[in-house]
Amino acid sequence: MDHLIELTRQMLIYIDDIENRYAQGRESGEKGDFYSEVKPFADKVKEDNDKWLILATEWVNCHHPKNLHSQQIVSAFEQIETLSVQAFFPETSKTRFINQLNSAKYILNVLLSSMEQKKEPQ
């Protein structure tokens, strides 16, 4: 579970990076260079996101936390994967981007707090 907690925190850091990158792009109007910025970042996020999906799904299916289901984990996984690329394109719909970002962030935070509650001695 410690590895999943660590990965979940890392995914939240990526979410912050994604949010900041998108804000910079919207402000400057500049797209990220695909080979020097977009692909390396998206590949790094994908590597951790793939590991996170497996561990988080197993944990949710095993512990059945209140208000969190495996489909939400899959949804957050897909949103993070999409956002890690969209963050570099300022023409991405701001409303949709922010809704997906907030949704993924919410699921990550719910998972993290559920794990931390399970970890505490009963």
Side-chain angles (χ1 to χ4, degrees), residues 1-12 52 55-56 59 108 111-120:
M1 182 162 70
D2 287 341
H3 185 55
L4 179 55
I5 289 172
E6 185 182 308
L7 264 177
T8 303
R9 286 188 177 133
Q10 181 59 53
M11 299 315 295
L12 284 164
W52 177 82
L55 293 174
W59 193 88
L108 289 166
L111 176 63
L112 194 57
S113 71
S114 296
M115 288 187 294
E116 287 169 347
Q117 285 174 0
K118 291 271 187 206
K119 219 176 158 182
E120 291 174 7

Side-chain angles (χ1 to χ4, degrees), residues 14-30:
Y14 287 142
I15 288 285
D16 287 343
D17 293 346
I18 286 166
E19 191 170 23
N20 291 335
R21 179 60 184 98
Y22 182 69
Q24 288 172 0
R26 290 285 293 193
E27 197 173 295
S28 70
E30 292 180 24

Side-chain angles (χ1 to χ4, degrees), residues 71-87:
Q71 184 51 46
Q72 290 170 288
I73 299 297
V74 172
S75 180
F77 164 81
E78 291 169 350
Q79 289 166 337
I80 291 166
E81 197 162 274
T82 301
L83 291 166
S84 69
V85 174
Q86 286 182 343

